[in-house]
Amino acid sequence: MRPVRTIRTQVGIVGAGPAGLTLAGLLGRQGIETVVLENKSRDYIEHRIRAGVLEQGSVELLEEAGVAGRLKREGLVHHGIELQFDGERHRVPLTELTGGASIVIYGQTEVVKDLVSARLAAGAPLLFEVQDVRLADIDSHCPRVEFSLEGQVTQLECDVVAGCDGSHGVSRATIPAGVLSSYSREYPFAWLGILAAVAPSSDELVYAHSPRGFALLSMRSPQLSRLYLQCRPDEDIASWEDARIWEELQLRLGLPGWTLAEGPVLEKGVTPMRSFVVEPMQYGNLFLAGDAAHIVPPTGAKGLNLALHDVRILAEALVDYYATGSKKSLAAYSERCLRRVWRSEHFSWWMTSMLHRSWDGDQYDEKLQVAQLRYTVTSGAAAASLAENYVGTAKA
Ligand code: APR
Ligand code: PHB
């Protein structure tokens, strides 16, 4: 189909997840024009339940993008997490171990809602439910994004395209074969997650290693709990009635003198686990950011924070490009991001390996995990290492 209309912008952004929307917000504040294209509806992206832990640096970036008002009012500031193993809980005092850093619990879904409403309030272009998105001429000085909206085929001409369309998007797939190297690891686990209308039973997140498998107690607000259970990647959610989920959570998280408060299950789903990175994160005038370039398993709570870190670097490089006309910073984008990407890949793999039970019940593995957990909570150096990675202050 031939385009029937052409529009022009400086930076075309594919995908309205946290990466694309935050990039648009940061560039908007610097007077750089963007058009954001999203293939799902506004309602869909504002109700998809995703991650919930923000590093301090991520909070600061959202402040810079001008969207942290509600996050500052409603986000829950946490100064520690709990590691549970061998029937006991041990607190890792994140703030104490990192010279004052903390994390904020605030759902990715809420971040997306705040970014969308700020964008629409500013009258800046954000198009939902676009179809047949196709990137063209990405190695030229005038890359284009073609799409159709309500039957009208449009061509968006840009200086640069930001591929922020997640792990199943079209951007990465547009890069010619042979350019990218990819690195991945599959895990034999997934997480069965629920959102429940009940006050969280712990003030802080609890990561539990148990003979029945991993479990995590998290939250979204003083009235909403978010809980996860290690399960198989092909787990049939239909066989997990609410009562069975609570029973399993009680078994994995329960301790003498402590019970998990139960409540109505509002949402449930299975999250697969994968580690994946492509290098470089750029080809011509296409720059990949967030899940489009890398995936981490959720155990380290890094996916959202990495996506935000990428767009911070990309926004800085674009601001430099428009100010000076030099592409030097843009050329350094991939390398600058990848150092941190690999730090987070390692941390997420490490947390995943330490906390999940192998299905064959390998006793040697389990003994190693417990030895590692015990070392992590008894050695100041080991605890500090976990803490600086968790809060995002570790040097990459
Ligand atoms: N055209 C337009 N938009 C698309 C296309 C396409 N062809 N394909 C996908 N998208 C949209 C998706 O619908 C989604 O809204 O791109 C967006 C990508 O957003 P995310 O998947 O949230 O990815 P990102 O912004 O990189 O954020 C990473 O999301 O999955 C979590 O754990 C991950 O927390 C991390 C965060
Ligand atoms: C969440 O609350 O969704 C959450 C918290 C910590 C994680 C992963 C997910 O490591």
Side-chain angles (χ1 to χ4, degrees), residues 14-20 37-40 45 48 50-51 108 130 133 164-166 168-170 289-292 303-304 307:
V14 186
L37 304 174
E38 166 61 48
N39 65 357
K40 296 281 198 295
I45 67 161
R48 188 165 51 181
R50 292 281 191 80
Q108 178 172 325
V130 300
V133 176
C164 303
D165 46 354
H168 304 294
V170 292
D291 275 17
L304 170 58

Side-chain angles (χ1 to χ4, degrees), residues 13-22 36-41 44-45 48 50-52 108 112 127 130-135 145 147 163-171 271 289-298 301-308 310-311:
I13 300 179
V14 186
L21 290 166
T22 305
V36 182
L37 304 174
E38 166 61 48
N39 65 357
K40 296 281 198 295
S41 67
Y44 181 89
I45 67 161
R48 188 165 51 181
R50 292 281 191 80
Q108 178 172 325
V112 166
L127 308 179
V130 300
Q131 290 171 333
D132 309 319
V133 176
R134 204 176 76 85
L135 276 56
V145 187
F147 60 95
C164 303
D165 46 354
S167 52
H168 304 294
V170 292
S171 300
T271 312
D291 275 17
H294 41 73
I295 307 284
V296 284
K302 289 289 152 224
L304 170 58
N305 295 295
L306 263 189
L308 294 178
D310 288 350
V311 297

Side-chain angles (χ1 to χ4, degrees), residues 50-53 191 205 207 216 218-220 226 228 298-301 390:
R50 292 281 191 80
V53 176
W191 283 8
L205 269 62
Y207 287 82
L216 171 62
S218 180
M219 60 207 72
R220 285 293 176 274
R226 178 84 173 138
Y228 298 96
T299 328
Y390 199 87

Side-chain angles (χ1 to χ4, degrees), residues 132-214:
D132 309 319
V133 176
R134 204 176 76 85
L135 276 56
D137 299 336
I138 50 174
D139 53 354
S140 78
H141 68 279
C142 182
R144 289 174 293 119
V145 187
E146 288 177 11
F147 60 95
S148 56
L149 184 59
E150 290 164 357
Q152 190 179 41
V153 181
T154 302
Q155 146 172 285
L156 175 67
E157 289 181 351
C158 329
D159 300 328
V160 162
V161 176
C164 303
D165 46 354
S167 52
H168 304 294
V170 292
S171 300
R172 192 179 66 237
T174 306
I175 298 176
V179 171
L180 301 179
S181 300
S182 67
Y183 306 88
S184 63
R185 168 90 12 127
E186 302 289 332
Y187 301 87
F189 328 117
W191 283 8
L192 193 164
I194 60 166
L195 185 69
V198 59
S201 300
S202 163
D203 291 338
E204 295 183 329
L205 269 62
V206 181
Y207 287 82
H209 175 275
S210 99
R212 300 182 67 89
F214 172 72

